[in-house]
């Protein structure tokens, strides 16, 4: 829409508002003393005869100025950040790349590779033929809540883990498209766990290693079952629902260790990452996110890049009193691993409670990234993205380990699209931030100072108890939430699925009662600039900006998948499964599934040698809670304010978990 | 551009309405200042309406605070204090189900809600037995029932609108919603 047209529309709207006021009984009178028209007086019928009508007197010149200003105001900032036109790295321009493992046609962990890039070298389905893609078989999970999980394919068997009650199905792919169930494992989690799961009872998928399928249950059990028979090998309870702990993340197996973390940042939970022995399930080490160095596993090898992250026992001294014991920093997102450096990378969640006034200090190590040696758990570096987080900007999003040409050199980096709205590119050996560029409209901060690693906060967005702060962008789920991005070494682009939401919020005093919410914030969300609530951004890490963007009406709450056929797959919350051109973003194909999609697309080679693409359909998660939990849209604060932005979802989709598998004819 | 005040003509009817309001307002509720806490706690509460054979007992144990505005505003405060609002938001739900609609899993009568709070419920409603004194539970019951309009109108407190900045939004701290026996289509809430 042209700027001129926008202005005319805006003036038009203002006029309508004035007319509406008139219709409601407000009267406008001109204040015509001295024979000059100088002001409008708004009077409500009730106040007509009362003496304080002067309070409603608005100088006309002021009114005109305000209206004009409001109508000319353009989101210069957000616009400047949008790419002008689809721009691809011209051939010959150095682009980001990655060293790939040999393609085995399987999908053994949620992100496929340890580097977390969700890229398949299968190339039967291409940008040219994807329009012929059609569903070949489906499978109902019998569960109605949000299906965020990725299916796995190992040894011609597909494994599907449902949200609570965390049923694990093994489907036989060797029997053609009938894919019968080989076995089903039911861990029978405690039903009470549902009440302490902050944002629907989701699970982000199992992992395969050493002949076992390993997964977490909502009630904090890590379970290994025999991939061939479904027999339980071991079952270790690592958390406690009575403290508000749950588990929703997808484990990662590194060097005979199963790495798992907890959820519950809204319940006063203290975050941790644990390593369990792959063979026995016994806990080898626990690295807390808060507390003394001895418990955060910070020792002699700890060398953060920035002075702000150096010091003794920062996990205690950046809090007041014993608040670190209930301070959040849970580990419910993604873990990636660099075998050359022998380091695992993961982020920690928001500090608790959300109300920042109740936890003075930087609140380390919440909203941070850790690099750890998996053998011992020792931290090698850490970087806090959002010190003293104000808006629930968890740091748990995925870290893609790729190589990027940067200032004439190839740098081994980690790409981290954070909830605070910046894509961080960091040297993954040292934790140095090479660039941090916005991928959404941001009003809460003004960039990252690369000299000292500090996030520059906008002071006016720091709310106090009882104070309403408006126009907080991005909203609490961030510029991007858990939904994982993918990377194609063929285009050098990272495909970010994300939302475009802003919010108003009001701090309240939070009261800690173990096992109940510890939030202290009233939130009401709305769509960000442009009115579209979701986006798919193709991010060029070498250039530090978006190459192209697609807008979606609803938040893009599904993961993305990139393939060597130069196709990118993702789903929408109203149930469309889509394929777009990895180079240009051109829409190539779409199919409407039974329920909204918030799952992680994957692809595999079937026993018949054909390439298949699979996705779970089944709306829910935080963004879909209004449907999954039958929430009442009359309360805008429902689901921590998310319902306000998603009021129309019940008219666009219904619940129900189904797997869809697609192939070419 | 001399616009005559639109509402001038409405002055006389307005006075009448004002007088009527004053009369109604005076009838709000009788406030008892020495409230002795109800000693009673409900027993033998059914959470199923299905009784094999003849219906034995359909009488409800009354909530001693049912129409007390004070109990209700206290209940509202306690709903925040005991973190009910963390799971049920301001009635619209989140981790727990909505309480402002007319769907009840475990019953909407005062003694049912009382027992829900005391006993907890299997899909994640914590048991607050021993954590909340009985009079406060009755106050919470009054407030919970008011969310869906089950308490007498006279006892309800005013809506607070300070965060009601989107069309259709409820107030943040004290959603006081009249009974709405159907869920309005989402299209009414842009």
């Amino acid at each position: 829409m042209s700027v001129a047209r926008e202005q005319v529309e805006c003036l038009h709207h203002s006029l309508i508002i004035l007319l509406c006021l008139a219709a409601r009984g407000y009267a406008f009178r001109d204040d015509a003393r001295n024979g000059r028209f100088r002001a409008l007086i708004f009077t409500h019928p009730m106040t007509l005869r009362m003496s304080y009508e002067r309070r409603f007197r608005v100088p006309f010149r002021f009114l005109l100025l305000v209206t004009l200003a409001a109508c000319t105001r353009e989101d210069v900032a957000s616009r400047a950040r949008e790419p002008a036109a689809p721009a691809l790295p011209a051939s010959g321009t150095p682009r980001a790349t990655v060293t790939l493992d040999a393609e085995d046609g399987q999908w053994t962990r949620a992100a496929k590779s340890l580097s977390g890039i969700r890229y398949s070298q299968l190339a039967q389905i291409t940008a040219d033929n994807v329009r012929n893609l059609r569903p070949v078989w489906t499978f109902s999970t019998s569960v109605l809540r949000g299906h965020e999980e990725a299916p796995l394919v190992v040894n011609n068997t597909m494994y599907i883990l449902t949200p609570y009650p965390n049923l694990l199905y093994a489907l036989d792919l060797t029997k053609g498209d009938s894919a019968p169930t080989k076995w089903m494992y039911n861990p029978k989690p405690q039903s009470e766990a549902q009440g302490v799961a902050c944002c629907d009872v989701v699970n982000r998928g199992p992992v395969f290693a050493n002949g076992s399928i390993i997964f977490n249950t909502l009630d904090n059990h890590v379970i290994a079952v025999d991939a061939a028979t479904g027999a339980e090998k071991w079952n270790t309870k690592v958390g406690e629902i009575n403290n508000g702990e749950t588990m929703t993340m997808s484990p990662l197996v590194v060097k005979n260790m199963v790495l798992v973390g907890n959820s519950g940042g809204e319940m006063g939970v203290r975050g941790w990452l644990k390593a369990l022995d792959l063979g026995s399930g016994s806990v080898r080490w626990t690295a807390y996110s808060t507390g003394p160095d001895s418990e955060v596993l910070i020792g002699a090898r700890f060398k953060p890049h920035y002075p702000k992250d150096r010091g003794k026992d920062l996990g205690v001294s950046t809090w007041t009193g014993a608040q670190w014991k209930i301070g959040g920093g849970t580990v419910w997102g993604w873990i990636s691993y660099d075998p050359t450096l022998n380091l695992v990378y993961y982020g920690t969640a928001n500090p608790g409670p959300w109300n920042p006034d109740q936890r003075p200090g930087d609140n380390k190590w919440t909203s941070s990234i850790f690099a750890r040696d998996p053998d011992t758990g020792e931290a090698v570096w850490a970087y806090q993205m959002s010190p003293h987080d104000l808006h629930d900007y968890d740091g748990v999003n995925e870290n893609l380990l790729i190589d990027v040409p940067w200032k004439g050199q190839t740098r081994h980096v980690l790409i981290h699209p954070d909830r605070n709205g910046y894509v961080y590119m960091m040297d993954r050996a040292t934790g140095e931030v090479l660039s941090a560029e916005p991928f959404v409209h941001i009003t809460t901060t003004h960039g990252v100072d690369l000299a000292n690693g500090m996030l520059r906060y906008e002071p006016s967005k720091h709310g106090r108890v009882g104070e309403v702060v408006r126009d907080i962008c991005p909203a609490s789920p961030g510029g991007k939430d858990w939904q994982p991005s993918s990377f194609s070494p063929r285009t050098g682009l990272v495909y970010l699925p994300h939302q475009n939401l802003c919010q108003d919020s009001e701090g309240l005093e939070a009261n800690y009662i173990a096992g109940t919410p510890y939030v202290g914030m009233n939130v009401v969300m709305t769509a960000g600039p442009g009115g579209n609530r979701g986006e798919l951004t193709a991010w060029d890490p070498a250039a530090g900006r978006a190459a192209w963007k697609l807008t979606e009406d609803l938040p893009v709450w599904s993961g993305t998948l990139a393939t060597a056929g130069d196709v990118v797959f993702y789903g929408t919350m109203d149930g469309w499964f889509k394929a777009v051109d990895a180079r240009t973003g051109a829409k190539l194909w779409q199919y409407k599934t039974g329920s909204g999609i918030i799952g992680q697309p994957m692809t595999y080679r079937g026993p018949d040698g054909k390439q298949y693409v699979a996705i779970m359909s089944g709306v829910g998660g935080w963004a879909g809670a209004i449907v999954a939990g039958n929430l009442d849209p009359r309360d805008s604060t429902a689901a921590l304010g998310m319902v306000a932005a998603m009021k129309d979802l019940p008219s666009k989709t219904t619940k129900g978990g189904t797997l869809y598998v697609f192939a070419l004819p | 551009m001399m616009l005559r005040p639109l509402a001038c003509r409405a002055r006389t009817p307005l006075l009448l309405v004002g007088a009527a309001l004053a009369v109604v307002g005076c009838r709000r509720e009788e406030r008892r200042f020495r409230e002795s806490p109800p000693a009673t706690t409900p027993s033998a509460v059914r959470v199923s309406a299905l009784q094999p054979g003849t219906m034995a007992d359909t009488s409800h144990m009354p909530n001693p605070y049912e129409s007390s505005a004070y109990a209700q505003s206290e209940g509202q405060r306690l709903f925040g204090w005991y973190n009910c609002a963390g799971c049920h938001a301001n009635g619209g739900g989140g981790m727990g189900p909505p309480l402002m609609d007319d769907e009840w899993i475990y019953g909407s009568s005062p003694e049912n809600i009382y027992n829900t709070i005391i006993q907890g419920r299997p899909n994640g409603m914590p048991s607050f037995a021993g954590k909340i004194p009985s009079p406060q539970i009755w106050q919470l019951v009054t407030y919970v029932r008011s969310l869906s309009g089950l308490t007498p109108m006279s006892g309800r407190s005013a809506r607070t609108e300070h965060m009601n900045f989107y069309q259709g939004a409820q107030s943040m701290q004290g959603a006081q919603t009249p009974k709405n026996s159907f869920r309005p289509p989402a299209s009414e809430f842009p």
Side-chain angles (χ1 to χ4, degrees):
Chain A
M1 201 189 295
S2 75
V3 175
R5 219 183 115 199
E6 263 176 28
Q7 279 175 18
V8 171
E9 275 201 6
C10 182
L11 284 167
H12 187 216
H13 289 328
S14 315
L15 200 70
I16 290 179
I17 290 171
L18 290 180
L19 284 175
C20 292
L21 284 170
R24 292 197 128 206
Y26 285 82
F28 310 120
R29 297 184 302 156
D30 58 340
D31 186 7
R33 275 169 304 160
N34 313 333
R36 277 183 65 204
F37 178 53
R38 293 191 325 185
L40 280 177
I41 300 178
F42 293 152
T43 37
H44 191 269
M46 296 282 275
T47 65
L48 261 188
R49 291 184 65 87
M50 296 179 192
S51 58
Y52 56 78
E53 84 176 18
R54 298 232 131 237
R55 269 202 238 150
F56 297 98
R57 190 174 169 279
V58 185
F60 183 65
R61 255 176 301 174
F62 174 73
L63 200 79
L64 197 75
L65 268 177
V66 168
T67 318
L68 276 178
C71 294
T72 2
R73 194 209 60 162
E74 212 200 314
D75 286 313
V76 182
S78 71
R79 218 157 265 218
R81 286 171 191 152
E82 303 275 334
L88 261 188
S91 50
T93 320
R95 60 161 187 263
T97 173
V98 74
T99 315
L100 296 166
D101 306 330
E103 179 61 63
D104 58 2
Q106 306 199 113
W107 202 272
T108 61
R109 49 180 88 80
K112 184 166 167 84
S113 65
L114 290 166
S115 56
I117 61 168
R118 295 165 189 273
Y119 174 77
S120 165
Q121 294 167 69
L122 299 184
Q124 284 176 13
I125 299 167
T126 66
D128 290 329
N129 64 20
V130 68
R131 65 181 185 289
N132 300 322
L133 212 57
R134 58 185 175 79
V136 287
W137 57 276
T138 60
F139 176 80
S140 169
T141 64
S142 81
V143 178
L144 298 180
R145 304 303 292 246
H147 286 58
E148 287 187 349
E149 66 276 14
L152 301 184
V153 167
V154 191
N155 296 330
N156 293 329
T157 307
M158 180 177 284
Y159 299 93
I160 293 167
L161 178 66
T162 72
Y164 172 90
N166 304 128
L167 309 174
L168 178 65
Y169 294 98
L171 309 178
D172 187 350
L173 300 179
T174 63
K175 306 272 160 58
D177 291 345
S178 62
T181 304
K182 267 188 179 171
W183 50 258
M184 192 267 275
Y185 175 85
N186 183 353
K188 303 190 184 77
Q190 266 181 284
S191 63
E192 290 83 356
Q194 295 171 89
V196 283
C198 87
C199 311
D200 199 3
V201 293
V202 298
N203 190 298
R204 303 195 176 83
V207 65
F208 170 85
N210 195 27
S212 301
I213 300 287
I214 303 133
F215 65 101
N216 299 321
T217 62
L218 194 64
D219 66 342
N220 308 300
H221 289 254
V222 188
I223 300 176
V225 301
D226 189 306
T229 64
E232 185 177 302
K233 287 186 171 174
W234 50 259
N235 180 333
T236 308
K237 183 166 180 259
V238 290
E240 178 53 58
I241 59 168
N242 285 324
N243 295 334
E245 276 177 313
T246 51
M247 287 173 85
T248 57
M249 56 86 76
S250 183
L252 190 77
V253 174
V254 167
K255 296 176 117 181
N256 290 325
M257 269 172 294
V258 183
L259 302 177
V260 296
N262 58 355
S263 305
E266 281 59 52
M267 316 290 288
V269 163
R270 182 185 177 200
W272 45 252
L273 177 77
K274 284 182 196 286
L276 276 59
D277 186 87
L278 178 59
S280 67
S282 60
V283 176
R284 289 235 212 130
W285 51 259
T286 301
Y288 286 97
S289 304
T290 65
D293 285 353
S294 56
E295 295 178 14
V296 184
L297 304 190
I298 284 178
R301 286 176 66 193
F302 188 61
K303 302 248 170 344
H305 186 79
Y306 298 101
K308 77 179 180 76
D309 295 318
R310 292 182 206 143
K312 197 173 152 32
D313 292 329
L314 293 178
V316 173
S317 63
T318 58
W319 296 85
T320 305
Q323 284 179 335
W324 55 268
K325 292 183 178 167
I326 51 171
T330 51
V331 183
W332 59 273
W334 302 103
I335 310 173
S336 31
Y337 175 61
D338 179 340
T340 314
L341 292 169
N342 191 30
L343 291 178
V344 292
Y345 303 93
Y346 69 95
T348 59
N350 60 291
W354 286 13
N355 173 2
D357 284 2
Q358 278 177 261
R359 45 171 172 83
D362 271 358
N363 310 135
K364 281 187 165 54
W365 297 90
T366 61
S367 299
S368 308
I369 292 182
F370 273 109
R372 292 187 186 274
D373 180 333
D375 294 315
T376 58
E378 278 171 292
V380 171
W381 59 259
Y383 171 74
Q384 192 175 32
M385 279 82 65
S386 302
H388 188 62
D389 163 53
L390 306 175
H391 309 293
D392 185 36
Y393 294 157
D394 300 49
V396 300
N397 290 356
E398 69 280 10
N399 298 298
L400 292 85
L401 311 185
I402 62 174
D403 302 328
V404 174
W406 186 252
K407 300 192 171 150
Q409 272 181 297
T410 299
R411 301 291 294 257
H412 304 297
V413 304
L414 150 176
I415 302 288
H416 173 80
D418 196 70
R419 290 225 327 213
N420 68 16
Y422 299 94
V423 179
Y424 287 80
M425 182 163 87
M426 301 173 73
D427 183 315
R428 64 179 184 257
T430 64
E432 177 189 3
V433 179
L434 303 178
S435 75
E437 296 294 331
F439 64 99
V440 286
H441 177 59
I442 299 176
T443 62
T444 50
T445 57
H446 300 282
V448 178
D449 189 335
L450 296 184
N452 56 21
M454 289 302 283
L455 182 62
R456 292 194 212 96
Y457 282 102
E458 163 56 43
S460 70
K461 300 298 176 192
H462 187 157
R464 305 282 169 199
V465 168
E467 187 182 291
V468 178
V469 181
R470 313 230 184 244
D471 197 29
I472 293 168
C473 308
S476 291
K480 184 184 160 303
D481 203 290
W482 73 279
Q483 62 272 47
S485 38
S486 56
F487 168 75
S488 166
R490 289 172 54 86
T491 59
L493 300 176
V494 180
Y495 302 96
L496 310 174
H498 62 101
Q499 57 272 5
N500 173 37
L501 298 174
C502 299
Q503 74 188 23
D504 296 355
S505 72
E506 176 197 37
L508 307 166
E509 203 189 318
N511 189 8
Y512 179 77
I513 305 173
T516 70
Y518 187 49
V519 174
M521 192 79 81
N522 265 329
V523 172
V524 173
M525 295 181 208
T526 184
N532 58 299
R533 288 161 286 183
E535 276 174 4
L536 178 75
T537 297
W539 185 262
D540 181 351
R545 63 180 174 82
W548 47 262
K549 264 177 193 274
L550 299 178
T551 57
E552 287 285 354
D553 175 25
L554 297 164
V556 183
W557 209 258
S558 83
T560 64
L561 159 70
T563 71
D566 290 335
V567 188
V568 172
F569 292 93
Y570 71 102
T572 62
M573 291 188 70
D574 51 357
W576 289 101
F577 188 46
K578 299 190 174 184
V580 300
D581 191 312
R583 290 157 300 199
T584 63
K587 290 172 191 163
L588 302 175
W589 169 85
Q590 61 179 14
Y591 177 86
K592 182 91 152 87
T593 64
S595 174
I597 295 176
I598 57 165
Q600 306 161 45
M602 55 80 77
T603 185
Y604 64 94
R605 193 190 301 118
D608 55 0
K610 273 173 83 164
Q611 183 184 357
Y612 292 84
V613 178
I615 182 73
M616 300 302 310
S617 161
V619 84
W622 190 2
I626 181 171
V627 173
N630 295 328
L631 305 187
D632 197 312
R634 289 173 293 169
D635 176 6
S636 295
T637 63
L640 299 163
M642 180 62 93
V643 158
M646 303 300 293
K647 287 182 162 133
D648 55 341
L649 194 63
S651 67
K652 300 201 159 134
T653 192
T654 51
K655 48 190 166 176
T658 309
L659 166 84
Y660 284 79
V661 180
F662 300 88
L664 292 171
Chain B
M1 203 175 140
M2 285 289 287
L3 297 174
R4 267 188 54 77
L6 290 176
C8 276
R9 268 163 287 146
R11 226 173 287 161
T12 326
L14 213 97
L15 278 173
L16 288 176
V17 170
L21 275 176
V23 173
V24 173
C26 294
R27 276 186 171 245
R28 254 178 91 68
E29 62 138 344
E30 277 168 45
R31 182 163 299 187
R32 288 158 293 171
F33 290 97
R34 285 268 171 83
E35 195 80 72
S36 51
T40 41
T41 52
S43 56
V45 168
R46 298 175 204 278
V47 289
S48 169
L50 192 61
Q51 296 177 33
T54 43
M55 295 272 273
D57 177 19
T58 50
S59 64
H60 290 303
M61 188 188 150
N63 175 358
Y65 293 151
E66 184 79 353
S67 54
S68 157
Y70 173 72
Q72 183 188 295
S73 70
E74 272 303 281
Q76 178 171 350
R77 185 181 66 78
L78 297 169
F79 197 77
W81 180 251
Y82 288 115
N83 292 346
C84 317
C87 288
H88 296 285
N90 293 293
M95 299 175 219
L99 300 177
M100 66 199 284
D101 62 13
D102 62 352
E103 285 170 39
W104 294 91
I105 317 168
Y106 301 106
S108 64
S109 68
E111 71 269 27
N112 280 85
I113 297 176
Y114 186 101
N115 271 13
T116 292
I117 299 170
I118 283 286
Q119 297 171 343
R121 294 299 178 218
N123 294 316
M125 168 70 196
S127 158
F128 284 90
K131 300 245 162 38
I132 310 181
S134 171
Q136 290 192 343
I137 294 185
W138 284 119
Q139 289 169 337
L140 281 162
V141 168
T142 309
Y143 175 67
V144 167
R145 280 169 56 80
S146 78
L147 286 169
S148 55
L150 293 173
T151 51
M153 200 65 189
S154 61
R156 283 193 230 147
S157 61
R159 298 162 74 110
T160 50
E161 302 283 0
H162 70 293
M163 285 273 288
N164 188 4
F165 28 83
Y166 303 122
Q167 199 193 342
Q170 286 304 311
S171 60
M172 305 289 288
Q173 266 298 67
Q176 295 299 309
T177 314
K179 166 95 173 154
N180 204 339
S181 60
F182 70 102
R183 184 80 55 80
S187 55
E188 282 180 28
F189 298 97

